[in-house]
Amino acid sequence: MEKNREKRSAPREQGPRGADLIAGRNAIAEALRAGRAIDSLYVQRGERSGALQALVKKAKEAGATIKEADPKKLDYLCGGANHQGVVAVAAVKEYATVEDLFRRAQEKDEPPFFVVCDELEDPHNLGAILRTAECAGAHGVIIPKRRSVGLTYAVGKASAGAVEYLPVARVGNLPSLLEELKARGLWIYAADMDGSPWCQTDFTGPTALVIGSEGRGVGRLVKEKADFVVSLPLKGNINSLNASVAAGILCYEVARQRSGTKAFNP
């Protein structure tokens, strides 16, 4: 009997725990009007009303990613609240601009060091990369607006607070961004399996380190823009490393070279 009472009294799960969600058209419109950073907007599939389309347009202009979802997913996200066909996921931190990242490097009087994430989808991977990049002295992280996890609650938690200190910029087109970075003097290094050994690569100059997605790695168009492709040795049966692990090793090679720390050479 006691066990049954405990079971009946247990609270029902109300959507993703800790997620910063805003449900309903008026609430989202007010959040946008107040300048709240919206990471993504979930819109009920097939909904075409004029008021909702106007809200979608405002969210796009504010940099939010628009995603279609069925009503059941919207119900789950907001725990059954009256969402009126739309739910917003607020970013845990305001997005920076690429110019903010350059400014940060200039203020520190250091050659720019950016980490570019090519369509990472796992929030724990992005969070771990933010944590490592901040510790290794990177000046910022750049992610694409589409087909990528944003600054969600889970990313912020996985970053162990790094999201509060390391600026994250979001851009519409990564290949175009890399061309812009190259024009501003950065060398582009893509992490992939068919490159030169990571420990024989010079990272002391202005650097943009590109980390590929969990499934397919660095995309073809992005890879074509790279000046160098660098690889880590794989001695086991698995043919790739976790994205955040590869990023950690490479970020600290950049940090080692920039600090002048000598590597042991038996």
Side-chain angles (χ1 to χ4, degrees), residues 3-208:
K3 287 183 179 179
N4 288 337
R5 278 200 299 271
E6 289 176 0
K7 185 176 181 181
R8 284 198 300 270
S9 62
R12 188 170 64 89
E13 183 66 52
Q14 296 293 309
R17 186 174 302 161
D20 199 353
L21 300 172
I22 308 170
R25 301 178 187 184
N26 291 336
I28 294 170
E30 288 299 328
L32 288 167
R33 191 174 295 114
R36 184 80 180 273
I38 302 298
D39 180 75
S40 52
L41 192 72
Y42 287 88
V43 181
Q44 184 169 310
R45 186 172 287 110
E47 180 62 63
R48 293 289 183 269
S49 71
L52 185 56
Q53 292 308 307
L55 187 61
V56 168
K57 181 180 178 182
K58 289 180 182 177
K60 277 184 178 180
E61 291 171 350
T65 301
I66 311 301
K67 302 177 181 180
E68 286 195 339
D70 59 45
K72 287 184 178 179
K73 178 163 186 176
L74 296 181
D75 289 340
Y76 166 72
L77 284 173
C78 63
N82 182 18
H83 50 70
Q84 300 174 302
V86 60
V87 175
V89 180
V92 295
K93 183 76 183 296
E94 195 82 33
Y95 286 100
T97 65
V98 174
E99 201 58 46
D100 290 331
L101 275 59
F102 276 103
R103 192 176 301 112
R104 194 164 190 253
Q106 186 176 23
E107 289 170 354
K108 293 189 173 187
D109 195 25
E110 296 171 344
F113 171 25
F114 305 154
V115 178
V116 181
C117 297
D118 183 13
E119 298 185 4
L120 284 180
E121 296 179 350
D122 186 340
H124 299 92
N125 266 337
L126 180 56
I129 289 173
L130 292 178
R131 183 177 185 176
T132 302
E134 200 280 328
C135 289
H139 301 110
V141 170
I142 301 171
I143 62 175
K145 288 183 178 180
R146 296 178 60 81
R147 294 185 292 275
S148 172
V149 64
L151 290 182
T152 63
Y153 171 84
V155 170
K157 186 175 181 181
S159 79
V163 71
E164 299 297 331
Y165 302 100
L166 187 70
V168 178
R170 200 159 60 156
V171 300
N173 187 287
L174 280 188
S176 296
L177 164 82
L178 297 182
E179 285 290 359
E180 176 190 339
L181 296 184
K182 289 165 74 171
R184 298 184 67 167
L186 273 73
W187 295 98
I188 312 299
Y189 301 85
D192 208 8
M193 291 187 296
D194 58 352
S196 303
W198 94 107
C199 56
Q200 297 176 9
T201 303
D202 182 3
F203 293 111
T204 56
T207 296

Side-chain angles (χ1 to χ4, degrees), residues 223-242:
K223 190 175 178 181
E224 287 176 357
K225 300 296 182 182
D227 297 299
F228 305 97
V229 178
V230 295
S231 298
L232 295 165
L234 298 171
K235 301 298 184 182
N237 295 313
I238 305 299
N239 66 0
S240 65
L241 286 170
N242 173 275

